[in-house]
Amino acid sequence: MSHQSALSTTSRPAPPPAPAAPPRTAWREGLDRLRTAATTEPGRLRIIGAVLAALVVAFGAVTAWQVSARETAADAVAEHSQPLSADAARIYRSLADADTTAASGFLAGGREPAAVRRRYERDIDTASELLVRAAANTEGSASARTEIRKISQLLPVYTGLVESARANNRQGLPLGGAYLRYANDTMRTRLLPAADRLYEAETARLGEDYGDAKSWPWVAIGVGVVALAALGWAQRRNYRRTNRVFNHGLLGASAAATVVLVWLVAGHAIARAELNDSDDHGAKSLRVLNEARIASLRARADENLTLIARGAVVVDKDGANKGKDAYEVSYASRMAGLVGSGPGGPPAGGSLLDRARDLADDGGGREPVEAAATAVRAWQARHKAARGADDAGDYKDALAKVIGAKDSTGASFDRVDDELAKALDHEQRQFQQAADSGRGAFTALAVGAGGLAVLGAAGAVLGIGRRLSEYR
């Protein structure tokens, strides 16, 4: 019995070996070491020093990144998007002036004045050159490229119609007027709307660049506040454990982080204020002045075409203007937008010249706008006299009152155009000065923030190292 038990005991199989423990990963080992180190004061100090250095370096890096992005946007405002917007406005203005000049030359009869011819050709050449420049610099904007291509295709069509009108006019053929009206219709319904859309596209990009340049660097500011809070906590902890008021390394790191944070906030605030000024009293003022100058150009073209068409084009829609001369109705609309619909006096509130005067921030900008408004009122009075002569059947007198060398509506228009050109030049200089000051506020901030962050991180490490030396 006992023998059988012994046999059964010796034949029982051995239990399976315990499963081997899974190998520890490098991450797990590092975590365990960190946990172990955190149980001792030297270990905790090393962790605190590493975290403080990382926070200060992160603050400098994020500051340099966000400031660089805003500096790039501010540079784009001053050197790229605003000049492109200004070029787009000049394209529109050159096209409108060419149309106005072509009508003026046609009214002069078969012998077109050489100065008028040169002005027309200069306008066409300017528009062509600016289109080439815009095409070379309008990268990334599909809408702008589309409008540039459309204008480039239509411009030869328009100039061909004008040349046909001139050729017929020189021969005294009435068909010339029809060609000129067709050219004007091409300009108004196809060329100018495309130029307007190009201007809107470039102006929208200018607005985007302004937004990017002026947006607050909240991430950098947030990281800076966290870094300063951590440095303050570390110094307070050091004081409570050692009763020492200052740790020179941590104090230096705090000073470096404070300088970066103050520089960041103050520099961005100054840049934002200057960019706002360049927008409010530069870009916006330029936009209104361009609209005013274009309105006067188109009003002048309408005035000329009223005499050319002689009632051949009338408003055929229902309403108060039905049956009236379409060009005369358009002239009245343009002038109402320019100075208001009142009989005289200063520009009405909300009119283009009223807004341009309000946006001008000094006498150099306001005075030419006020002079332009005075010239517009004189123009309106002379236009009324010219219309009276034409309606009475005295076409020759009406023509002299419109294109004559003295006391004509043409002389008033030239005065308006000259004064608005002066205002545009002044506001362009104002814009450039403010925009340059705005982007100048970012100068050296990114590099300075990076350098101070490195010094601050070094100070934090040295400050913690001084405490660690006391445990050796």
Side-chain angles (χ1 to χ4, degrees):
M1 190 83 177
S2 61
H3 177 68
Q4 290 178 351
S5 298
L7 287 175
S8 63
T9 301
T10 56
S11 63
R12 184 179 299 164
R24 298 174 65 196
T25 64
W27 168 256
R28 184 57 182 259
E29 275 191 35
L31 198 60
D32 289 343
R33 287 178 183 174
L34 188 63
R35 189 181 297 114
T36 302
T39 61
T40 64
E41 181 61 14
R44 284 193 288 270
L45 287 172
R46 290 188 181 93
I47 294 170
I48 290 171
V51 171
L52 291 177
L55 278 173
V56 175
V57 169
F59 176 37
V62 174
T63 297
W65 162 56
Q66 291 206 295
V67 167
S68 296
R70 281 147 184 79
E71 188 174 13
T72 299
D75 288 342
V77 165
E79 297 179 358
H80 193 71
S81 52
Q82 196 280 330
L84 281 176
S85 177
D87 282 351
R90 287 183 62 199
I91 290 171
Y92 192 113
R93 198 166 59 241
S94 296
L95 293 174
D97 191 65
D99 195 49
T100 300
T101 306
S104 297
F106 189 91
L107 278 176
R111 289 190 172 184
E112 182 180 12
V116 174
R117 178 69 178 181
R118 285 195 300 270
R119 179 168 176 169
Y120 168 82
E121 291 174 346
R122 185 170 62 248
D123 286 332
I124 297 299
D125 289 343
T126 298
S128 300
E129 291 172 6
L130 291 173
L131 282 169
V132 172
R133 189 159 73 189
N137 292 293
T138 311
E139 68 280 353
S141 176
S143 60
R145 289 196 302 271
T146 298
E147 302 308 333
I148 290 170
R149 184 166 56 250
K150 188 176 296 183
I151 297 169
S152 300
Q153 291 170 350
L154 288 171
L155 192 55
V157 176
Y158 171 80
T159 55
L161 290 169
V162 170
E163 292 307 315
S164 297
R166 283 195 175 115
N168 281 275
N169 196 35
R170 282 194 297 269
Q171 299 174 51
L173 301 176
L175 191 59
Y179 271 114
L180 192 67
R181 290 195 300 273
Y182 187 28
N184 175 261
D185 185 66
T186 300
M187 176 66 74
R188 287 170 179 254
T189 62
R190 302 176 72 185
L191 270 166
L192 289 182
D196 185 56
R197 289 190 294 270
L198 173 62
Y199 178 60
E200 292 297 331
E202 298 297 355
T203 302
R205 182 159 62 166
L206 173 61
E208 291 173 2
D209 287 336
Y210 262 122
D212 292 341
K214 293 190 293 185
S215 62
W216 280 99
W218 292 116
V219 175
I221 292 172
V223 175
V225 170
V226 171
L228 277 174
L231 286 165
W233 171 83
Q235 290 174 87
R236 183 172 180 274
R237 181 182 186 276
N238 184 57
Y239 169 71
R240 293 181 66 182
R241 290 177 178 269
T242 65
N243 211 29
R244 293 171 183 164
V245 177
F246 296 119
N247 178 294
H248 293 158
L250 294 178
L251 190 63
S254 299
T258 300
V259 169
V260 173
L261 186 60
V262 171
W263 190 2
L264 172 63
V265 174
H268 189 79
I270 293 171
R272 185 183 175 88
E274 293 291 344
L275 289 170
N276 277 330
D277 186 58
S278 74
D279 190 15
D280 293 337
H281 300 292
K284 289 179 182 175
S285 183
L286 287 168
R287 183 182 180 91
V288 173
L289 285 168
N290 275 315
E291 290 176 8
R293 198 174 181 194
I294 289 165
S296 69
L297 284 167
R298 298 189 68 177
R300 177 60 178 168
D302 289 328
E303 184 177 54
N304 290 335
L305 285 161
T306 301
L307 286 178
I308 292 170
R310 305 295 304 279
V313 181
V314 297
V315 178
D316 59 359
K317 295 179 181 179
D318 292 337
N321 294 319
K322 184 177 180 180
K324 294 184 178 180
D325 186 285
Y327 295 119
E328 180 64 17
V329 170
S330 181
Y331 164 86
S333 174
R334 303 290 176 196
M335 296 300 268
L338 195 58
V339 292
S341 55
S351 64
L352 288 170
L353 290 184
D354 177 69
R355 289 162 55 198
R357 182 183 56 194
D358 289 344
L359 286 169
D361 60 348
D362 61 9
R366 282 190 296 271
E367 288 171 7
V369 173
E370 291 170 351
T374 301
V376 168
R377 291 307 188 190
W379 179 5
Q380 287 178 307
R382 291 173 179 177
H383 175 83
K384 186 177 180 180
R387 293 310 313 140
D390 190 35
D391 292 340
D394 193 346
Y395 178 77
K396 186 176 181 180
D397 185 41
L399 189 63
K401 291 180 184 300
V402 171
I403 64 171
K406 185 178 180 182
D407 296 334
S408 66
T409 61
S412 295
F413 161 73
D414 288 340
R415 175 75 187 281
V416 172
D417 196 58
D418 289 344
E419 294 297 338
L420 290 177
K422 290 179 187 176
L424 278 165
D425 288 342
H426 176 80
E427 295 302 321
Q428 183 65 45
R429 290 192 297 271
Q430 293 288 92
F431 163 82
Q432 201 63 53
Q433 290 173 3
D436 288 343
S437 296
R439 61 178 177 162
F442 292 120
T443 302
L445 179 50
V447 174
L452 285 170
V454 171
L455 291 175
V461 171
L462 289 173
I464 295 298
R466 182 68 180 271
R467 283 283 293 120
L468 280 171
S469 67
E470 297 171 0
Y471 288 89
R472 297 193 182 111

